[in-house]
Amino acid sequence: MSRLRRQPWLEAVLLVLLFLVALAIRLYGLHKWPPGLYNDEAANGLDAIGVLAGRRPIFFENNNGREPLFIYLQAVSMALFGATPYALRLTAALVGALTVPAIYWMTREAFSRTTLPSRWLALWTALFLAFSYWHISLSRIGFRAIMLPLMAALAFGWFWRAWWRIDTSDDPPSQKGRAGLPLLDLVLCGVFVGASLYTYTAARFIPVVIAIVTLLGAALPVRSAQRTKRIVLALGVISATALVVFAPLGLYFLSH
């Protein structure tokens, strides 16, 4: 038996240490490195100032158009720490650090019902992300793209949690609907899929990937007709929830 399984406190300690290391790397010298302010960061800052002045757009049209979630978070940071480059980049650093435990959880859920050591796989994945050059770089610049890995990890974490719990006998009754679906997990997956569309343009691939994985899984010949029906219903729950969350931005896109 895995030592992490026998000693769950060790797993928690390692994960906390990874998060703190990732946070320290992303915060160290953030007020001076990288030097200067990129024009996209400056555009975000101007829009964040507009938010603090009372503007509440669902989509920021300047600078070729940008999804709103990250800019609103930057506005919160600027309200707390002032209209500075540090405040703009602090948002990215915190989001980047939080992605480390999020991707740990996603990986653990994805391999939880396999023969592979899911806890060790999750720790190694989180370790590599904590020291990943591209992720550190984006975590130290005030670009909205850094939101995508976090939202994707949370969406897929709930997806895999729901996937392994569909039509299983060990699910708590309170977590399953009449169709034998883990409704809470599916709704939360849909929430983060929909919310991811408020972060960065590439997030539009997340619903596509989830749909492809779900439908391929449902089409496997080893699936019973009942299980296939539950998988399709699960995709319906995710899609409906995501559409509700995405609706305000979707209506803006339709009208523009």
Side-chain angles (χ1 to χ4, degrees):
M1 184 181 295
S2 169
R3 184 176 180 183
L4 290 179
R5 186 182 295 274
R6 296 195 308 268
Q7 299 175 315
W9 61 268
L10 178 60
E11 179 182 13
V13 169
L14 291 174
L15 185 57
V16 170
L17 287 176
L18 271 178
F19 168 73
L20 293 177
V21 169
L23 183 62
I25 293 172
R26 287 154 178 77
L27 289 179
Y28 179 75
L30 188 62
H31 63 288
K32 57 181 178 179
W33 296 318
L37 195 64
Y38 193 72
N39 59 343
D40 286 349
E41 294 178 285
N44 285 0
L46 291 174
D47 281 327
I49 291 173
V51 170
L52 295 178
R55 294 184 63 239
R56 299 292 186 269
I58 192 66
F59 186 79
F60 291 90
E61 298 180 356
N62 294 332
N63 199 32
N64 298 314
R66 285 149 299 141
E67 293 80 4
L69 183 55
F70 187 68
I71 296 174
Y72 277 102
L73 292 177
Q74 287 181 309
V76 173
S77 179
M78 290 173 64
L80 295 173
F81 301 103
T84 65
Y86 177 80
L88 291 174
R89 291 171 173 175
L90 179 62
T91 309
L94 294 176
V95 168
L98 288 171
T99 307
V100 173
I103 208 163
Y104 166 87
W105 175 66
M106 182 203 73
T107 306
R108 182 173 169 183
E109 291 293 342
F111 293 98
S112 62
R113 303 289 180 94
T114 70
T115 58
L116 296 172
S118 61
R119 287 174 170 84
W120 283 113
L121 280 173
L123 282 171
W124 277 109
T125 304
L127 175 67
F128 282 122
L129 184 68
F131 289 94
S132 165
Y133 170 78
W134 69 265
H135 196 264
I136 292 174
S137 177
L138 283 176
S139 297
R140 295 178 62 88
I141 303 175
F143 293 166
R144 73 192 194 282
I146 192 61
M147 285 289 298
L148 180 54
L150 174 61
M151 302 303 289
L154 293 172
F156 281 103
W158 288 112
F159 172 82
W160 288 116
R161 181 178 173 87
W163 179 268
W164 292 119
R165 298 180 65 190
I166 288 176
D167 197 24
T168 55
S169 59
D170 57 341
D171 286 337
S174 61
Q175 297 292 321
K176 296 178 70 173
R178 293 181 180 179
L181 297 176
L183 291 177
L184 179 61
D185 300 335
L186 295 170
V187 168
L188 287 171
C189 175
V191 166
F192 283 104
V193 169
S196 70
L197 299 172
Y198 289 81
T199 61
Y200 188 59
T201 310
R204 297 169 193 176
F205 285 99
I206 292 179
V208 176
V209 173
I210 285 183
I212 291 174
V213 171
T214 306
L215 294 176
L216 286 177
L220 291 176
V222 296
R223 307 292 184 198
S224 65
Q226 185 180 21
R227 185 173 177 82
T228 299
K229 179 182 177 181
R230 286 173 174 165
I231 292 174
V232 173
L233 286 174
L235 180 60
V237 173
I238 294 172
S239 301
T241 306
L243 283 172
V244 170
V245 175
F246 175 63
L249 185 57
L251 291 173
Y252 172 89
F253 286 160
L254 287 175
S255 62
H256 293 74

